[in-house]
Amino acid sequence: MNDDPSHRSSLIGHRSRLLVLRLSALGDVIHTIPAVVGLKEQFDITWVVEAPYRELVELVAGVKTIPVRLKKEPMSALHAVKAMRGFDTSIDFQGLIKSAALPWAAGVKERIGFDKNAIREKPALWFTNRKVEVDTTRHVIDQNLELAHNAGQASACPSGGAGGQAEACPTWTAFVEPIEAKGEIVLLPGAGKPDKIWPYFGELAQR
């Protein structure tokens, strides 16, 4: 369910701290980075992530982290919840019970996540109080950008409208070209599932 755009802007626009949740796995964490980098323009972001990916998030996304080891040490969730206290807003890019429940347990007031059509585990809906509709036919990177954009932060998109309007989030082609790159370039166009293969590798190579 989407709220009125002006209401979204007033709710999230004045806050300086934002909690991001995408715990794992490697490819999914990478797919979340573009949306988080866009949100950095306005918010001081802290990302809750599995410990093996902590350095990747800090180096590439350039944000602070709260590392967890839920797969091997479930009790690490208690330490994470303590570290998450004091945040007013969170965005769950994972859509699992374990990711949605953490900010709820920490007392985060506004907990944003995917709606019932995009969320992976339906019971996770119990722990979010702002559900955002996204186009599930698009690649997961675009869905993440759309979640961040429609949650009230236009700059999460390369050229989104002003004021956090809920217009369609543009694709990566909105970036300027040619893309300047130095040194060797490595493209890895594989993925574990066909629907996670980014569809623009050919055009990226041409650029």
Side-chain angles (χ1 to χ4, degrees):
M1 173 176 73
N2 285 323
D3 301 325
D4 176 74
S6 61
H7 179 59
R8 280 200 306 271
S9 181
S10 63
L11 275 175
I12 196 171
H14 74 283
R15 297 193 174 102
S16 59
R17 300 176 69 210
L18 183 65
L19 192 68
V20 164
L21 294 107
R22 176 76 233 195
L23 308 178
S24 61
L26 177 60
D28 296 314
V29 168
I30 292 173
H31 287 159
T32 308
I33 288 176
V36 173
V37 169
L39 289 166
K40 279 175 57 181
E41 293 184 15
Q42 184 171 347
F43 296 102
D44 178 13
I45 294 175
T46 299
W47 188 330
V48 184
V49 67
E50 284 282 344
Y53 312 118
R54 178 181 190 176
E55 291 185 354
L56 169 70
V57 167
E58 292 177 346
L59 289 173
V60 180
V63 299
K64 294 173 289 187
T65 59
I66 297 175
V68 296
R69 296 183 180 275
L70 298 186
K71 293 183 178 181
K72 296 183 178 181
E73 303 172 19
M75 294 302 293
S76 68
L78 297 178
H79 299 288
V81 166
K82 290 181 180 179
M84 292 164 59
R85 289 173 181 164
F87 285 85
D88 289 327
T89 307
S90 66
I91 299 183
D92 177 19
F93 287 95
Q94 189 145 5
L96 298 181
I97 296 173
K98 63 181 180 181
S99 59
L102 286 174
W104 172 81
V108 178
K109 295 178 182 178
E110 186 176 28
R111 302 178 303 278
I112 303 168
F114 293 107
D115 76 347
K116 62 181 181 180
N117 295 318
I119 203 163
R120 293 177 59 189
E121 294 180 352
K122 293 297 189 291
L125 292 168
W126 298 339
F127 300 103
T128 56
N129 52 22
R130 295 243 352 259
K131 281 76 170 173
V132 175
E133 180 182 356
V134 299
D135 184 354
T136 57
T137 65
R138 303 178 73 184
H139 188 269
V140 64
I141 291 178
D142 295 319
Q143 292 182 45
N144 288 335
L145 284 167
E146 199 172 354
L147 172 61
H149 180 61
N150 288 341
Q153 175 54 35
S155 62
C157 295
S159 61
Q165 299 301 313
E167 59 203 37
C169 188
T171 68
W172 80 287
T173 54
F175 286 101
V176 297
E177 56 178 318
I179 297 173
E180 296 184 6
K182 298 179 180 180
E184 296 182 356
I185 300 174
V186 177
L187 300 181
L188 181 60
K193 298 179 181 179
D195 61 354
K196 290 191 176 183
I197 297 178
W198 195 54
Y200 307 115
F201 277 109
E203 186 173 346
L204 176 61
Q206 291 177 354
R207 291 197 185 193

